[in-house]
Amino acid sequence: MSENVVTVQNLIKHYKDVKAVDGISFAVKRGEIFGIVGPNGAGKTTTIECIASMRRADSGSVDVLGLDPVKDSIVLKRRIGLQQQESEIQDRLRLWEAMELFSSFYDTVLDWKALLKQLNLWEKKDSFYSALSGGQKKRFFVAMALIGDPEIVFLDEFTSGLDPQSRISIWKLVKELRDQGRTIVLSTHYMDEAEKLCDRVAIIDHGKLTALDSPSNLISMHGGHIRVQFDVGDVFDGESLSRLEGVESVLNDGNVCTLEVSASSTIVEIVKKLDAMGQGLDSFRIEAPTLEDVFLNITGREVRD
Ligand SMILES: Nc1ncnc2c1ncn2[C@@H]1O[C@H](COP(=O)(O)OP(=O)(O)O)[C@@H](O)[C@H]1O
Ligand SMILES: [Mg+2]
């Protein structure tokens, strides 16, 4: 069992009358990619800010690398890296100047040239910060979060607004960081991203933790059934399919027949049956449950309503 590098117990944070974080507890293990996922306004940013020494919680306890983010803020900030959802630096700084400047703040630093290359920003090294696109700014702040060679990297909504290619290059970088032994705590409202990238995921909603496990465990516990669909003509009779073991429901709307299936082995039986019935399989499709379904099943809502 690996060591916990972050322990949060009963964290509570209000902004005036808004309860942004409402009694959250969890622990992050060294060397994992830990995702905090949930819709906008769920309390992800507030949680990360309380852990990464940017905000003081109203109550509860937070331990990061054996340190208290409030009392030991200066020491802690040298050991962690934070990319904030909304950050700005001076417009008239060139990227290389900013990287040099921020490198001077730390005893141990990563090679910023390599970082800019990895984040597809090398061609922009002489540009002013103000001349970067939104996606480039986002990637630049990921580089800034990494410059001090952090043990724990916090990435808050790190891919929102990024084009698909940039998202993929950051995912690759995040995995490399994990493989180097670093711990990554990220937040996202993209469930597919959390499912692909995270070792464990904490789902939060209205400031409360609703589930915490690996994506595959969450999906097998809360994802619901596998869906099988195929196009049908108006004479199709799905009755015999409903008698197959593992078929939970059959819905035939006259155009598409949708089956909910509790075991993947049932799919083979369905295919055999359809073949025996002379039903073409061209449109046959299988939809496995995703983390998106987990959220829907736990909260009764879509992540983005
Ligand atoms: N600085 C702030 N002042 C007042 N309310 C805030 C502030 N920051 C966040 N909130 C509110 O707290 C709740 C949680 O916000 P946040 O932690 O930013 O959630 P998320 O990052 O999941 O979108 C939301 O209702 C948001 O409007
Ligand atoms: Mg946020």
Side-chain angles (χ1 to χ4, degrees):
M1 187 84 175
S2 54
E3 160 206 9
N4 290 334
V5 288
V6 175
T7 308
V8 175
Q9 279 173 320
N10 203 21
L11 185 72
I12 293 177
K13 176 72 189 175
H14 292 80
Y15 300 105
K16 298 208 175 87
D17 50 355
V18 178
K19 208 168 200 179
V21 179
D22 190 7
I24 285 183
S25 304
F26 62 83
V28 180
K29 295 175 190 158
R30 185 180 289 282
E32 72 176 341
I33 301 175
F34 186 90
I36 299 175
V37 309
N40 284 331
K44 303 181 294 294
T45 296
T46 305
T47 303
I48 288 183
E49 287 177 342
C50 290
I51 302 171
S53 210
M54 298 300 289
R55 225 178 249 292
R56 184 191 285 262
D58 297 340
S59 62
S61 73
V62 182
D63 180 295
V64 186
L65 297 167
L67 298 166
D68 177 333
V70 176
K71 292 200 200 91
D72 308 317
S73 174
I74 294 170
V75 187
L76 181 60
K77 280 182 178 167
R78 304 182 76 85
R79 294 177 63 187
I80 63 175
L82 167 65
Q83 170 260 318
Q84 287 186 282
Q85 188 174 356
E86 283 167 29
S87 321
E88 287 296 331
I89 60 160
Q90 278 182 37
D91 281 350
R92 306 295 281 176
L93 267 181
R94 295 179 194 279
L95 291 205
W96 72 265
E97 290 173 321
M99 298 314 275
E100 284 286 331
L101 175 65
F102 282 84
S103 296
S104 71
F105 298 163
Y106 299 95
D107 302 326
T108 327
V109 287
L110 295 184
D111 174 7
W112 63 260
K113 293 175 184 157
L115 282 175
L116 290 190
K117 283 174 191 161
Q118 268 177 304
L119 289 159
N120 301 327
L121 285 170
W122 182 243
E123 299 73 43
K124 292 280 161 192
K125 66 179 186 309
D126 298 320
S127 303
F128 286 128
Y129 169 74
S130 57
L132 300 183
S133 71
Q136 287 166 342
K137 285 183 177 169
K138 199 113 203 168
R139 276 154 29 221
F140 170 70
F141 283 109
V142 172
M144 296 271 267
L146 295 172
I147 202 144
D149 191 17
E151 285 168 65
I152 311 177
V153 188
F154 296 91
L155 304 172
D156 189 17
E157 298 273 357
F158 68 123
T159 61
S160 54
L162 285 189
D163 58 275
Q165 223 162 351
S166 300
R167 281 178 88 194
I168 291 168
S169 67
I170 295 198
W171 290 353
K172 189 165 165 266
L173 177 63
V174 166
K175 285 185 177 160
E176 282 168 20
L177 293 166
R178 189 252 328 261
D179 296 343
Q180 291 162 4
R182 292 176 218 275
T183 307
I184 294 93
V185 178
L186 60 86
S187 84
T188 180
H189 63 270
Y190 299 122
M191 291 306 208
D192 60 327
E193 174 167 276
E195 189 178 326
K196 283 199 192 84
L197 198 55
C198 297
D199 297 306
R200 288 193 309 143
V201 164
I203 298 180
I204 67 171
D205 189 34
H206 298 305
K208 289 185 193 295
L209 182 83
T210 57
L212 168 57
D213 212 324
S214 64
S216 59
N217 284 349
L218 287 172
I219 290 166
S220 63
M221 278 186 294
H222 306 286
H225 296 130
I226 303 165
R227 277 185 294 271
V228 167
Q229 284 191 323
F230 45 90
D231 298 343
V232 292
D234 17 307
V235 293
F236 182 79
D237 179 10
E239 186 51 34
S240 57
L241 292 173
S242 65
R243 286 193 293 270
L244 290 176
E245 201 182 315
V247 172
E248 301 296 326
S249 69
V250 179
L251 183 73
N252 178 8
D253 70 3
N255 292 311
V256 175
C257 183
T258 305
L259 278 68
E260 288 193 311
V261 170
S262 58
S264 50
S265 55
T266 306
I267 295 166
V268 180
E269 299 310 316
I270 295 170
V271 170
K272 281 188 197 157
K273 190 86 188 170
L274 289 175
D275 193 37
M277 290 162 81
Q279 168 74 24
L281 291 168
D282 289 355
S283 64
F284 192 85
R285 51 202 181 266
I286 302 167
E287 224 179 84
T290 64
L291 213 50
E292 205 86 53
D293 296 307
V294 172
F295 186 83
L296 181 67
N297 290 336
I298 290 177
T299 66
R301 292 181 291 115
E302 302 274 349
V303 187
R304 279 153 285 171
D305 3 52

